[in-house]
Amino acid sequence: MARLAGFEPTTPWFVAKYSIQLSYRREVRIISEPGCAPLLGVELPRRRIPAMALDAGAGFDYAYAGTRSHPMRPMTQSMTTLSADAASMATGDKPGARTRLPVVVWLLVCCALIFAMVVVGGVTRLTHSGLSIVEWQPIVGTVPPLNEAQWLETFGKYQLTPEYLKVNHAMSLDEFKGIFWWEYFHRLLGRTIGLVFLLPLLWFWRRGHIDRPLTLRLAGIFVLGGLQGAMGWYMVTSGLVDDPRVSQYRLTAHLAIALAIYAATLWTALGLLYPAAASAPHPRLRRFSWIITAMIAYMVVTGGFVAGIRAGFAYNTFPLMNGHVVPPEIFMLDPWYLNFFNNMATVQFDHRLGAWLLALLVPWFWLKARREALTPRARIAVNLLLGMLAVQITLGISTLLLMVPVPLAAAHQGGAVLLLGAALFANHALR
């Protein structure tokens, strides 16, 4: 036990018994017991005591001996305060809670930036701005055109693209600047997220605030962010060849990777903020919540295809699709599997089907959760999931009926991120 407390037991000259007790100020003090030899007259090493070594509210006995190099000096009953970190661990506080809080705040800031990135990306797509910058220059591209000559040069490069030749051939320089800035800010925000993620990661690692497994996980998220940037450029190149539209496959992959980064970052932050319990008290309810999360992921993928082939501009009626529950054009393409990716009727039907399923599953999940003895955090998470689904479905229907206005469509894309976050929060709270 003495070894657990951070002291090395040696062959004693004089053996004294001490007990480690907890004060009401959450400090661990070493107090000499009545009738025993006085406390050592040497400064004790300031070392952390594992939480398992101490039982909050009750002391334990151990033996410590003086050595020839550190003899015991007579003293009155005295006490030495151990480190504050050891005290917080001993009193039942979560280990390293003080050092974890800045990490949690940093990760939540990254989540907010990713959310903003998805919204700005949606506006960039909806305003047809994504093909306005025809080069990928991660460093040099940070600086926009600064004078008329540079603007004319940038505009001249855009004039060689299929989008200008086939769609925007009458566009003026001022109109080009309007679409340029949306794409520029989208890329600039991506670079900002990379720096905001990498620099604190290196600092926390260097200061020892994150352990090796967490460092590797966060490094993996950073690598995924680099892959996201590469996928974004790969998506843009698909619209610079013949067809002035980006590939719906690459667009969907770009969106899915962004939400995967968001989910991994949020889950890591929640894990640091609320460490896992020994066992899940509601395993069935938690499995149900994961099914709902999988359905939301399905909705994100189908939504990417809706955006990619602009299926939101067709079948602008609800709840029926131009008077049909299932549109007759749903399998008009051959081979049949292409309908799920290229047919507006099929793609929109799949997206609507996911919304109907969530509209049934989430209230059912909410009702089941009400019958369980949940923690306050879990109950808040379940209510938040139901409320966020109602908001997202309302945004989706409004976007469809009003034929995809930019503000509503961008809010609907951002709502998908928040809905996924609410589902992950519910999953985590039910652990």
Side-chain angles (χ1 to χ4, degrees):
M1 193 62 75
R3 192 178 300 274
L4 286 175
F7 305 102
E8 290 294 333
T10 58
T11 304
W13 276 7
F14 304 95
V15 179
K17 256 191 163 184
Y18 303 95
S19 65
I20 295 183
Q21 298 178 343
L22 307 177
S23 73
Y24 289 104
R25 290 181 298 168
R26 291 191 173 183
E27 293 177 339
V28 179
R29 298 182 180 276
I30 301 180
I31 308 172
S32 65
E33 291 185 344
C36 298
L39 186 68
L40 282 175
V42 296
E43 183 179 358
L44 297 176
R46 299 174 64 84
R47 296 181 59 183
R48 292 185 178 183
I49 300 177
M52 61 177 289
L54 299 176
D55 180 16
F60 64 87
D61 293 336
Y62 73 99
Y64 184 85
T67 64
R68 298 178 187 275
S69 58
H70 297 287
M72 300 170 67
R73 296 198 307 232
M75 295 175 59
T76 59
Q77 188 175 16
S78 61
M79 51 186 65
T80 303
T81 303
L82 299 180
S83 68
D85 283 348
S88 65
M89 297 171 75
T91 55
D93 291 347
K94 298 176 179 63
R98 293 182 181 179
T99 59
R100 275 204 304 262
L101 183 58
V103 179
V104 171
V105 172
W106 159 61
L107 291 175
L108 292 179
V109 168
C110 290
C111 288
L113 289 174
I114 295 169
F115 168 78
M117 182 76 168
V118 172
V119 174
V120 172
V123 176
T124 302
R125 172 184 56 81
L126 292 163
T127 56
H128 310 294
S129 305
L131 299 177
S132 58
I133 301 178
V134 300
E135 296 174 321
W136 190 34
Q137 298 173 319
I139 305 299
V140 179
T142 305
V143 181
L146 300 176
N147 53 49
E148 191 71 12
Q150 292 178 349
W151 274 113
L152 289 174
E153 179 184 359
T154 304
F155 186 37
K157 295 176 181 178
Y158 175 70
Q159 289 175 317
L160 300 177
T161 65
E163 183 176 69
Y164 178 84
L165 296 173
K166 298 180 180 181
V167 180
N168 296 330
H169 51 84
M171 177 177 282
S172 65
L173 178 59
D174 288 338
E175 291 173 329
F176 169 73
K177 290 180 180 180
I179 65 173
F180 173 89
W181 285 119
W182 275 115
E183 175 65 8
Y184 172 78
F185 283 123
H186 184 55
R187 297 191 184 193
L188 184 64
L189 186 55
R191 296 181 178 100
T192 302
I193 293 174
L195 290 177
V196 171
F197 195 93
L198 178 62
L199 296 182
L201 171 60
L202 295 176
W203 189 84
F204 286 130
W205 169 74
R206 185 69 180 84
R207 299 283 294 180
H209 292 327
I210 52 179
D211 57 19
R212 180 178 174 82
L214 180 57
T215 302
L216 293 177
R217 181 192 304 178
L218 294 174
I221 295 175
F222 178 76
V223 171
L224 194 59
L227 176 63
Q228 168 72 342
M231 177 56 71
W233 174 244
Y234 183 57
M235 176 190 68
V236 169
T237 57
S238 65
L240 299 177
V241 184
D242 297 316
D243 188 358
R245 295 183 180 182
V246 298
S247 165
Q248 67 268 32
Y249 301 99
R250 302 182 191 184
L251 174 67
T252 303
H254 189 51
L255 177 63
I257 294 175
L259 267 70
I261 296 171
Y262 172 83
T265 306
L266 179 61
W267 189 262
T268 302
L270 291 173
L272 293 174
L273 193 59
Y274 305 106
S279 61
H282 309 284
R284 293 184 179 179
L285 199 60
R286 188 163 186 251
R287 284 194 294 269
F288 197 173
S289 69
W290 276 116
I291 292 173
I292 290 173
T293 305
M295 283 300 307
I296 294 173
Y298 166 81
M299 287 289 293
V300 169
V301 172
T302 58
F305 282 103
V306 169
I309 65 174
R310 302 178 185 178
F313 291 94
Y315 303 96
N316 300 106
T317 60
F318 187 84
L320 301 179
M321 297 180 67
N322 289 354
H324 301 278
V325 176
V326 179
E329 308 87 2
I330 195 169
F331 283 113
M332 65 181 297
L333 299 183
D334 190 44
W336 62 270
Y337 57 83
L338 290 179
N339 290 281
F340 294 96
F341 312 108
N342 299 323
N343 187 338
M344 286 187 178
T346 312
V347 169
Q348 192 185 124
F349 177 79
D350 290 345
H351 194 58
R352 290 192 186 208
L353 180 62
W356 281 114
L357 289 174
L358 283 175
L360 294 174
L361 290 177
V362 173
W364 184 18
F365 171 73
W366 182 80
L367 289 173
K368 288 176 67 68
R370 283 181 61 86
R371 302 190 187 102
E372 301 287 344
L374 300 181
T375 63
R377 179 167 65 94
R379 195 160 297 283
I380 290 173
V382 171
N383 292 336
L384 181 63
L385 176 60
L386 179 64
M388 193 59 233
L389 177 68
V391 171
Q392 179 67 348
I393 290 179
T394 302
L395 287 172
I397 295 173
S398 302
T399 301
L400 180 69
L401 296 179
L402 297 175
M403 297 190 66
V404 198
V406 173
L408 273 178
H412 185 51
Q413 184 159 315
V417 182
L418 297 181
L419 181 60
L420 177 63
L424 291 173
F425 183 39
N427 292 333
H428 200 277
L430 291 171
R431 293 195 307 167

